[in-house]
C-alpha cells in the first residue's frame, strides 16, 4: 500500500512541477513571439510565474529582447524537479547527468508545446472555424512565426495549408532525435 502512495506522491510532484515549468516556458514563448499581453490567458501565466520569475530577473538580464530569466528559471526548476524525484525514488545522480537530462526534458517540453498547439489548432479549425477564443488566439500567435516561414516555401495549395503538417513532422523528428540521445 505504501508503494502505491509513494508512486502517487511522486506522480503528483512530477505533474505539478511539470505544469509550472511549462507555464514558465510559455511565458518565455509568449514574450518571444510578442503575443497579446492583454489576453486573459497571458495575464494568468504572468500572475502564476511572476513570484519566482521577478527575483531571477534582478540577477539575470534580458539579452537581445529575450527574457533569459525565464529560461534560467525553467532550467533551475527542471534540475530541482529531477533532483527531488531522484532523491525520493532511489538516490542521487551525478550533476552532469541531471543537467543533460533536464535540458533534454526542457527541449522536449518546448517542442511539445508547439506539437499540441498545432493539433489543437487543427481540431479547432474543423470544429469551431473562425472562433475568437482567447486560448486559440494565443495558440495562433505562438505557431504563426514558424508556420508563416514554412508557408513562404510551401504556399497553400487548393485551399489547403500544409505548413502545420510540415511543422508537425519536423517536431516529431526532433522529438525522436532527443529521445534517442
Amino acid at each position: 500500500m505504501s508503494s502505491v502512495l509513494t508512486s502517487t506522491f511522486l506522480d503528483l510532484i512530477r505533474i505539478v512541477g511539470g505544469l509550472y515549468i511549462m507555464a514558465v516556458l510559455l511565458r518565455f514563448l509568449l514574450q518571444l513571439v510578442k503575443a497579446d499581453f492583454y489576453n486573459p490567458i497571458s495575464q494568468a501565466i504572468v500572475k502564476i510565474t511572476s513570484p519566482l520569475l521577478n527575483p531571477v530577473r534582478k540577477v539575470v538580464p534580458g539579452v537581445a529582447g529575450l527574457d533569459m530569466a525565464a529560461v534560467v528559471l525553467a532550467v533551475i526548476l527542471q534540475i530541482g524537479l529531477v533532483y527531488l524525484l531522484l532523491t525520493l525514488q532511489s538516490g542521487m545522480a551525478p550533476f552532469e547527468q541531471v543537467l543533460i537530462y533536464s535540458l533534454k526534458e526542457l527541449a522536449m517540453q518546448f517542442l511539445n508545446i508547439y506539437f499540441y498547439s498545432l493539433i489543437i489548432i487543427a481540431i479547432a479549425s474543423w470544429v469551431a472555424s473562425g472562433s475568437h477564443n482567447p486560448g486559440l488566439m494565443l495558440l495562433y500567435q505562438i505557431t504563426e512565426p514558424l508556420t508563416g516561414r514554412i508557408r513562404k516555401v510551401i504556399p497553400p495549395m487548393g485551399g489547403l495549408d500544409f505548413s502545420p503538417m510540415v511543422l508537425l513532422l519536423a517536431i516529431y523528428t526532433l522529438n525522436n532525435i532527443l529521445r534517442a540521445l
Side-chain angles (χ1 to χ4, degrees), residues 139-161:
L139 295 180
Y140 282 121
Q141 290 172 348
I142 288 171
T143 58
E144 183 54 35
L146 294 177
T147 55
R149 288 185 180 143
I150 295 171
R151 220 175 282 119
K152 288 180 183 175
V153 177
I154 304 171
M157 293 178 253
L160 293 175
D161 183 9

Side-chain angles (χ1 to χ4, degrees), residues 96-111:
E96 297 82 22
Q97 287 180 346
V98 171
L99 178 64
I100 291 169
Y101 179 78
S102 296
L103 293 175
K104 180 176 125 175
E105 283 296 311
L106 284 175
M108 289 175 65
Q109 200 167 20
F110 195 75
L111 290 172

Side-chain angles (χ1 to χ4, degrees), residues 120-133 136 140:
I120 291 168
I121 288 171
I123 292 170
S125 72
W126 302 330
V127 176
S129 173
S131 174
H132 296 291
N133 182 302
L136 285 177
Y140 282 121

Side-chain angles (χ1 to χ4, degrees), residues 49-110:
T49 57
S50 287
L52 292 181
L53 191 57
N54 288 341
V56 176
R57 276 208 176 112
K58 293 178 182 175
V59 179
V60 179
V63 176
L66 297 177
D67 185 15
M68 296 311 294
V71 174
V72 169
L73 179 61
V75 170
I76 290 169
L77 290 173
Q78 185 67 45
I79 289 171
L81 180 64
V82 170
Y83 260 129
L84 178 63
L85 291 172
L86 282 175
T87 302
L88 292 174
Q89 282 179 328
S90 59
M92 300 301 285
F95 180 74
E96 297 82 22
Q97 287 180 346
V98 171
L99 178 64
I100 291 169
Y101 179 78
S102 296
L103 293 175
K104 180 176 125 175
E105 283 296 311
L106 284 175
M108 289 175 65
Q109 200 167 20
F110 195 75

Side-chain angles (χ1 to χ4, degrees), residues 5-34:
L5 289 175
T6 304
S7 175
T8 303
F9 180 67
L10 290 174
D11 286 342
L12 185 63
I13 291 172
R14 187 177 295 113
I15 290 168
V16 171
L19 285 173
Y20 194 83
I21 292 168
M22 185 174 286
V24 173
L25 287 175
L26 276 171
R27 179 153 180 185
F28 170 75
L29 190 57
L30 292 173
Q31 290 175 341
L32 180 68
V33 298
K34 296 175 179 49

